[in-house]
Amino acid sequence: MVLTLRPIVKMTTRDLGRNSWREELDSFSRQHEGWIVSIITRSSRGETTVAAHDLPLQGVGPASPSSNNIAIIVGGGQSHLTHEIREPAALQIDLTPNGAERALLVHGNDGTTTTIEFRSPMRPEEVDGLPARDRR
């Protein structure tokens, strides 16, 4: 019998204070607009659903001015997907060991966790150029 050991990777997260969610999400959206992401939801029972895979991030923010729900918009051109998270309880940024943002975690009151995960996590200052925009 061969035993293979995998390295234990400690997850480092940064909690976002509830009073600053709107500002933090606005900053996150501006900083990562156009970055390729996947949206994955894990239920409280451990079931996983992929809502989007490898699509450009358009933005993350309040679903409406009077709502605490969070909307994630991905896609490009004429097609996009809006994924709404109802009753979020906590927001965290998952960081790589070198401090790059790997994902945004949205924990729901119902025990679900939605992850907006970057295909290629890196610090914004390491990005070579800006994402192309539709020029119509």
Side-chain angles (χ1 to χ4, degrees):
M1 176 158 111
V2 175
L3 181 63
T4 304
L5 299 176
R6 287 193 270 167
I8 297 173
V9 178
K10 182 181 176 200
M11 189 165 117
T12 302
T13 58
R14 177 172 55 94
D15 295 326
L16 304 180
R18 190 171 192 98
N19 292 337
S20 63
W21 281 5
R22 288 182 190 267
E23 295 81 16
E24 291 275 5
L25 292 176
D26 184 50
S27 175
F28 181 88
S29 295
R30 281 189 319 246
Q31 197 169 46
H32 300 294
E33 181 179 357
W35 289 33
I36 305 301
V37 299
S38 293
I39 303 172
I40 304 143
T41 300
R42 181 177 300 266
S43 74
S44 59
R45 296 183 305 276
E47 300 160 339
T48 302
T49 304
V50 177
H53 180 70
D54 286 351
L55 293 174
L57 179 68
Q58 298 301 312
V60 182
S64 73
S66 61
S67 170
N68 286 328
N69 295 345
I70 293 175
I72 307 160
I73 303 170
V74 295
Q78 298 293 334
S79 64
H80 70 276
L81 168 85
T82 300
H83 181 81
E84 189 168 330
I85 302 166
R86 299 191 185 282
E87 300 183 31
L91 298 179
Q92 295 178 308
I93 301 287
D94 177 22
L95 302 167
T96 65
N98 71 349
E101 294 179 351
R102 180 185 353 245
L104 174 65
L105 308 171
V106 183
H107 303 283
N109 278 330
D110 61 357
T112 62
T113 298
T114 300
T115 304
I116 303 146
E117 182 177 78
F118 296 115
R119 180 171 63 188
S120 302
M122 63 183 70
R123 294 186 307 242
E125 62 269 16
E126 295 173 333
V127 176
D128 185 17
L130 299 172
R133 297 187 183 268
D134 290 345
R135 292 180 173 95
R136 295 185 184 182

